[in-house]
Amino acid sequence: MSHWYRSYAPAWFQRWWNPRRPLSPYTTTRPIAENAQSSAILSVERVDLCLDDNHSEHHTSHFYAAAAKEALIVRRGEPFRLRIHFNRDYSPSKDAISFIFTVADDPKPSPGHGTLVGIVPHDGIDNLGGPLEWGAGIEVHDGGSVSILIKPSITCPVTSWKLDIDTKLLGDGSKSHSVALPIYVLFNPWCPDDQVYLEDRDQRKEYVMHDTTLIWRGSYNRLRPSVWKIGQFERHVLDCSLQLLGTVGRIPPAYRGDPVRVARALSALVNSVDDDGVLLGNWTEDFSGGTAPTKWTGSVEILQQFYKTQRPVKYAQCWNFSGVLTTIARSLGIPSRIITCYSSAHDTQASLTVDIFIDQNNKKLDAETTDSIWNYHVWNEVWMQRPDLGVGQFGPYDGWQAVDATPHESSDNMYRVGPASVVAVKNGEIVRPFDCGFVYSEVNADKVYWRYNGPSQPIKLLRKDTLAIGHLISTKAVLKWEREDITQSYKYEERTEEERNTMVKALKQARHAFSRYYLNDNFNEVEFDMELKDDIKVGENFTVVLKVTNKSKERAHQITGHVNCDAVLYTGVSAEEVKSIGFELELKPESSDYVRMEVTFDEYYHKLSSQAAFQISSSALVANTDYEYYAQDDFRVRKPDIKFQFQGSIVSQQEVDVIVRLTNPLPIPLHKGLFSIEGPGIEKPLKFKIAEIPVGGTAASTFKYVPPYAGRGTLLAKFNSKELDDVDGYMHYEIEPRPGDILHSSGTSRMSNIIRRRTDVIP
């Protein structure tokens, strides 16, 4: 990119820099000298990118490429330092220096698009320009060495840049030096001028720096946290993330600094439906030709495989999509967290209701029921300002934005969701871009059961449930290994006037109303209450209890019905019937009776889906009335936990033995078991085979582990066998620094004189 000014630079710069310009009114123009005199031109011999100090200041030292000194990784809006060593003493009176930054993968970089930037450094570092402009200043020069601070614009593209350094001897010509290492410029949540600025220090640690998290799965009555290795700093992850923006995401280089556009692209490129993105979804029980979604322990192996093959990785479900999106977002510098919504609606008709049709045998009609309710659904939130949305009735739309990479429905002809302002979702502003209506339905739709008696018969409303959708919306708590409930950020409290008013407001915007509802007879003399014990371990029997109460003081009632247990996928799709019983009750006035259905391990084991989920339903008719009862609930059995134990002190870069254990919870032996272990410093998952675990037995494996750095760490494990899979566990721990590291870190930083907003350090 030598002599870039000839084509791209502003006219004033060309007049100043042009080697043919007169030195004074009394001199004549002289061409660029290509003879012995050119040796007098200042020549770059070596460029010190000050990697350690820059990475520490920019919170990027954990990146593999930073530790391996393969690249300079900085964040926009804040200065970084270069030390340039020349072939002779630098003279400000006759030597000029300029820096030319170009986006590495832009075939036609230009200043107008912000993908080619030329900077002439000021003398001194007091003024590096405003937030929207690049700036540079000479900090100090000592003979043939010059120290310079360079500040990228707060809106510059987040990508890989090339740097050329041009030098000129005024009047005698110029030379150019290309810096070999790439320079990655990332979003900067530490800088108040950046659109992704996150003020809270602890939240920055959690949502940008932490490389392991928890994802909540299971069902609303049996929450199950699973550990996920985000691994945003691991080898090839940053390269893959940046590459994805331009290839699969198809974001032109000029727009890669816009977090709204980047977030929308991420929700599309993580799934493979439109663009051969990172992950191929699979919601069956057949995962031949790939890895079952329940067997992934983190994003690193997935992204490394995609980076190598450039083909979609098999297979994924919602939490895998969410985990990978979090990894990419955090690697780019966008604060991100993983969200789980229990009893989450998939509203295919944009009606803000989930319509479930039941046949005469009290079975769900899959053909007519296009809407669905997932036991849980996992998506993401990313933190940013939304200047594109302005200010609404409830204030600005800044803050958390929902994005969902699971391919549900198309949005603008691509399978993606968001970014949808969570503020807009809570207040029912479903027409706000992007996809606020879909997210609103996920958390707050009404669940409606219809009796379907055939195509020529009218449908009948069995039940309208305004409380069924959107329970226990969860994320990992900040700097704690526990759940934080964020339901109130998505919806007003159920049964409140605000919640119902918001629903009516949303329905009006969607041009739907409640007029299509049919009403049941106003009959309330018989009350039904279905009870489930919610702490059942896999391998144990469980019992479903239906309590029926006649509240009438005068009338006896005869009730007939069924209780059913079906094994289902977590998406709510039925897999196979486990058990069904019928019942008849004669209830005297003001009396109760119970229907009990015991489900044994032998009855459910061979029909159980990989995530141990069931759907329990009950239906009943009250004789001599038109009243029909129908209820449905989710249930799952609990799987065991994997335990870790360290055999010694945990010290940075010192080997320690670790034991991982699992006790067999089933009344049958486990065969062909496999432990998969991940954690900081483990480049590829460790695999340990277990031939057999007898009934009541415990499997154990020991491995040697070297923590890579001092600070927080988390080991995670996944266990799969022929008889039991999707078992996981984790252990959170503190890694102590070596004595030498403590002494080294107490010294005075060489970067301490940089003028910047230094708000915290890498944890």
Side-chain angles (χ1 to χ4, degrees), residues 273-480:
V273 177
D274 304 294
D275 45 22
D276 290 329
V278 178
L279 281 163
L280 177 64
N282 184 345
W283 283 269
T284 71
E285 289 287 291
D286 180 7
F287 303 112
S288 55
T291 300
T294 55
K295 293 185 179 180
W296 295 114
T297 55
S299 306
V300 178
E301 193 175 2
I302 294 170
L303 287 169
Q304 288 176 342
Q305 182 177 329
F306 181 85
Y307 187 65
K308 179 180 179 180
T309 66
Q310 297 297 302
R311 300 185 65 179
V313 178
K314 302 175 182 178
Y315 293 103
Q317 293 179 5
C318 65
W319 71 95
N320 310 119
F321 290 117
S322 178
V324 170
L325 193 149
T326 299
T327 299
I328 298 174
R330 290 189 187 181
S331 72
L332 298 175
I334 301 175
S336 176
R337 64 185 184 181
I338 296 174
I339 307 299
T340 298
C341 176
Y342 288 96
S343 300
S344 177
H346 179 188
D347 177 15
T348 60
Q349 305 298 328
S351 63
L352 305 186
T353 60
V354 176
D355 301 306
I356 299 173
F357 296 90
I358 308 298
D359 66 13
Q360 294 176 334
N361 297 317
N362 297 311
K363 295 294 184 183
K364 186 174 71 173
L365 290 165
D366 291 332
E368 282 73 20
T369 304
T370 58
D371 295 341
S372 60
I373 300 173
W374 295 25
N375 285 4
Y376 65 91
H377 180 48
V378 184
W379 63 78
N380 293 87
E381 288 178 351
V382 290
W383 179 274
M384 64 186 66
Q385 298 170 16
R386 290 297 302 272
D388 57 310
L389 298 184
V391 178
Q393 176 185 354
F394 301 95
Y397 298 95
D398 301 342
W400 290 115
Q401 315 290 318
V403 290
D404 191 346
T406 300
H408 284 296
E409 300 289 324
S410 64
S411 172
D412 297 332
N413 300 315
M414 292 190 74
Y415 278 85
R416 55 187 171 184
V417 172
S421 167
V422 175
V423 171
V425 171
K426 179 173 183 176
N427 292 289
E429 299 188 47
I430 64 171
V431 298
R432 292 285 178 184
F434 296 93
D435 309 308
C436 284
F438 185 84
V439 179
Y440 181 88
S441 289
E442 286 185 303
V443 302
N444 210 22
D446 284 344
K447 184 177 181 181
V448 184
Y449 296 99
W450 302 92
R451 172 73 70 196
Y452 183 79
N453 294 308
S456 61
Q457 300 297 318
I459 59 176
K460 174 184 177 182
L461 177 68
L462 296 179
R463 187 180 176 201
K464 179 175 66 178
D465 191 345
T466 63
L467 308 176
I469 304 301
H471 296 301
L472 300 167
I473 303 177
S474 307
T475 190
K476 179 183 176 296
V478 175
L479 304 186
K480 297 178 182 178

Side-chain angles (χ1 to χ4, degrees), residues 53-60 73-81 125-126 128 149-152 188-193 749-762:
D53 287 341
N54 282 325
H55 292 151
S56 177
E57 287 288 321
H58 285 257
H59 315 281
T60 56
I73 307 174
V74 297
R75 301 187 187 274
R76 62 188 192 176
E78 302 283 10
F80 60 91
R81 173 180 279 120
I125 60 173
D126 292 337
L128 298 181
L149 298 186
I150 298 176
K151 176 189 68 64
N188 193 351
W190 282 264
C191 182
D193 297 315
S749 171
R750 290 173 291 171
M751 299 283 282
S752 59
N753 60 343
I754 290 183
I755 300 173
R756 58 182 289 120
R757 307 175 187 89
R758 186 171 184 181
T759 52
D760 63 65
V761 297
I762 293 175

Side-chain angles (χ1 to χ4, degrees), residues 413-619:
N413 300 315
M414 292 190 74
Y415 278 85
R416 55 187 171 184
V417 172
S421 167
V422 175
V423 171
V425 171
K426 179 173 183 176
N427 292 289
E429 299 188 47
I430 64 171
V431 298
R432 292 285 178 184
F434 296 93
D435 309 308
C436 284
F438 185 84
V439 179
Y440 181 88
S441 289
E442 286 185 303
V443 302
N444 210 22
D446 284 344
K447 184 177 181 181
V448 184
Y449 296 99
W450 302 92
R451 172 73 70 196
Y452 183 79
N453 294 308
S456 61
Q457 300 297 318
I459 59 176
K460 174 184 177 182
L461 177 68
L462 296 179
R463 187 180 176 201
K464 179 175 66 178
D465 191 345
T466 63
L467 308 176
I469 304 301
H471 296 301
L472 300 167
I473 303 177
S474 307
T475 190
K476 179 183 176 296
V478 175
L479 304 186
K480 297 178 182 178
W481 290 86
E482 58 188 46
R483 188 180 73 90
E484 178 183 352
D485 193 299
I486 59 168
T487 307
Q488 293 301 313
S489 68
Y490 276 89
K491 56 195 294 189
Y492 291 99
E493 187 176 354
E494 298 287 7
R495 296 188 177 91
T496 63
E497 184 178 354
E498 292 92 343
E499 190 275 333
R500 282 293 93 190
N501 288 343
T502 301
M503 170 58 86
V504 173
K505 171 186 173 182
L507 284 165
K508 289 180 178 178
Q509 293 180 75
R511 298 182 180 180
H512 285 267
F514 288 102
S515 58
R516 66 191 184 93
Y517 285 175
Y518 290 82
L519 297 179
N520 242 325
D521 287 344
N522 186 18
F523 177 83
N524 59 8
E525 291 185 3
V526 179
E527 182 177 81
F528 297 85
D529 185 16
M530 192 162 59
E531 300 175 359
L532 286 168
K533 185 178 179 182
D534 59 8
D535 188 20
I536 303 297
K537 298 177 183 178
V538 63
E540 297 179 342
N541 302 338
F542 63 88
T543 302
V544 180
V545 178
L546 178 66
K547 180 182 179 182
V548 186
T549 302
N550 182 2
K551 298 190 295 182
S552 172
K553 296 182 179 181
E554 300 173 352
R555 297 174 59 187
H557 285 291
Q558 185 175 353
I559 298 98
T560 59
H562 288 81
V563 177
N564 302 289
C565 173
D566 297 314
V568 296
L569 304 178
Y570 82 98
T571 58
V573 177
S574 297
E576 192 172 358
E577 181 179 278
V578 174
K579 191 170 186 178
S580 177
I581 64 169
F583 65 87
E584 292 185 9
L585 299 176
E586 182 80 33
L587 288 182
K588 296 179 180 179
E590 296 185 304
S591 67
S592 297
D593 203 348
Y594 296 86
V595 179
R596 289 179 171 85
M597 181 177 71
E598 183 180 24
V599 182
T600 67
F601 171 77
D602 290 335
E603 289 174 325
Y604 71 72
Y605 172 66
H606 292 289
K607 301 175 181 180
L608 195 61
S609 66
S610 61
Q611 298 191 53
F614 300 95
Q615 197 168 76
I616 309 297
S617 61
S618 61
S619 59

